[in-house]
Amino acid sequence: MSRKVEKSRELQKRAEQMMPGGVSSPVRAFGAVGGDPPFIVLGQGSHLLDADDNEYIDYLGSWGPLILGHAFGEVVEAITAAARSGTSFGASTPSEADLAEIVLLAFPHLQKVRFVNSGTEATMSAVRLARAYTKRKYIVKFEGCYHGHVDALLVKAGSGLATLGIPGSAGVPEEFTQFTVTLPFNDTDAVERVFAKFKHQIACVIVEPVVGNMGCVPGLGDYLAALRLITQREKAVLIFDEVMTGFRVAFGGAQELYGIRPDLTTLGKILGGGLPVGAYGGPSELMDLVAPLGPMYQAGTLSGNPLAMAAGLATLSHLRDHRAEIYPRLEKLSAQLVDGVAAAARDAGVTLCSNRVGSMFTWFFTPGPVNDWNSASKSDTDAFGRFFRAMLDHGVYLPPSQYESAFLSTAHTKEDIKKTIAAAKQAFQSAHA
Ligand code: HOZ
């Protein structure tokens, strides 16, 4: 089975003449997996349609935001209604407080929240706020964790950097990362050692509580609880980057799932219901340092945009009202999918390690276990590329990188899962042929 690619190929050529790699974000160019990137013309529920009329079951979900699937009725209606009243004012609208209210409900440790336009802005601002609060310079992050394309955080980051096999970005002077300390994930002793070395100098520890950007890698045992204890003891700010996990692994994110309260939380993706929204929030003691109340400056012309607020509000309201059914169903279907593909791999003699938390998951092409960047990077990325391309040919759209999490939405059906497992069986067979 193979898909038609003529139109997408033409569109790619045209785009390449005007945009670097023909894309607006690097991983979309399929550089790591090969093959022709499909140009998408329609998303409906769990399905995508490309310019060549190929249909796919989608497990990318726009890299996480689309927990309700594509073109979800309530979201489309909310955006349309908001657009009729004007698309942007650069002034306050009631919709911002409406969205803030539901965010504070989901994340009870937040007393105040600031809306921005992306996860990158959220993490950049949260780190600045942590430094403003503690009056310290050093920040601690973990290998394979990606917190957006912020200069100081683009060190041993996962996501597109890991996909392209580069340790950091050109154009970031080393002075800009001199206060960034990067440690292995899931290693509590390394955290203790760094706090001993930089006594009273560490402003914050920033972590994806379930890493999604080196593929899906959860914290082991009491690792997150240990981060909480150490940062509290050392009076450093603990930032949970829940851009990917917020409203995903539970309505209240990983902090609800694991019962841990960070000091600051960053949000994005699902928060905007498919439109560009990020946020950072925490207790008033910290958030009141943000301008105009305090001296930490951060601003945005389109921040709190009414269309984006409307999409976020429609998405979060639906999740809030149906969370008792939604999250258990996502858990059940995701388990069936991930275990089904793992069984197909076993039957075909393909080495696979499956990691999953709720509806975020990755199939690593390594025996595993995968607990950190060192073990994730042992994956056979060529084998992943072959699997990825075969799945695409069989109508299944996965993230085009071994080092990204895949996602299930409420729109996925048992039938989708069955078809995907069948496609995986064929993909594993063809990989062996
Ligand atoms: N891991 C990235 C966002 N969390 C993927 C999106 C992108 O780089 O375009």
Side-chain angles (χ1 to χ4, degrees), residues 25-28 63 146 159-160 213 244 269 404:
S25 194
V27 281
R28 296 180 199 175
W63 303 92
Y146 176 75
S159 190
N213 284 292
M244 212 179 266
K269 298 199 188 276
E404 295 283 358

Side-chain angles (χ1 to χ4, degrees), residues 149-402:
H149 56 97
V150 182
D151 280 355
L153 295 172
L154 272 185
V155 188
K156 294 186 186 162
S159 190
L161 293 161
T163 306
L164 298 174
I166 48 177
S169 171
V172 179
E174 61 187 43
E175 290 84 353
F176 286 26
T177 55
Q178 65 182 309
F179 299 116
T180 305
V181 181
T182 308
L183 302 178
F185 185 67
N186 268 329
D187 181 346
T188 309
D189 292 344
V191 181
E192 289 286 16
R193 281 196 298 275
V194 90
F195 271 99
K197 182 170 175 193
F198 297 102
K199 201 87 192 133
H200 307 308
Q201 295 176 75
I202 296 174
C204 63
V205 171
I206 183 166
V207 65
E208 290 183 81
V210 176
V211 188
N213 284 292
M214 53 174 147
C216 177
V217 180
L220 288 178
D222 60 359
Y223 178 67
L224 294 172
L227 290 184
R228 176 63 291 183
L229 277 174
I230 297 167
T231 46
Q232 225 150 25
R233 187 190 71 211
E234 302 292 336
K235 298 190 175 14
V237 172
L238 178 63
I239 304 173
F240 269 13
D241 179 354
E242 298 234 38
V243 167
M244 212 179 266
T245 50
F247 311 104
R248 166 64 65 184
V249 295
F251 184 58
Q255 52 199 271
E256 176 189 313
L257 188 67
Y258 299 118
I260 295 170
R261 264 168 83 131
D263 300 302
L264 288 175
T265 298
T266 58
L267 295 167
K269 298 199 188 276
I270 292 174
L271 172 67
L275 266 65
V277 186
Y280 61 102
S284 301
E285 188 187 350
L286 276 105
M287 293 303 291
D288 286 352
L289 291 176
V290 178
L293 287 186
M296 194 292 268
Y297 196 75
Q298 176 272 309
T301 299
L302 285 164
S303 294
N305 172 268
L307 268 59
M309 296 293 104
L313 187 61
T315 301
L316 299 197
S317 303
H318 188 88
L319 290 174
R320 176 199 58 203
D321 296 346
H322 301 277
R323 66 189 136 162
E325 309 97 67
I326 283 178
Y327 291 96
R329 181 176 178 274
L330 283 174
E331 168 68 30
K332 196 171 155 197
L333 273 189
S334 305
Q336 282 170 4
L337 171 66
V338 171
D339 297 348
V341 170
R346 258 194 318 276
D347 292 348
V350 171
T351 302
L352 205 69
C353 167
S354 310
N355 279 10
R356 180 181 72 82
V357 178
S359 57
M360 58 189 281
F361 53 90
T362 302
W363 294 294
F364 291 98
F365 283 76
T366 172
V370 175
N371 296 324
D372 55 16
W373 171 244
N374 189 36
S375 43
S377 66
K378 295 208 162 57
S379 280
D380 180 344
T381 50
D382 290 337
F384 173 81
R386 286 192 297 277
F387 176 66
F388 170 85
R389 291 192 300 278
M391 291 298 271
L392 207 58
D393 282 345
H394 286 98
V396 177
Y397 195 108
L398 296 170
S401 164
Q402 174 70 100

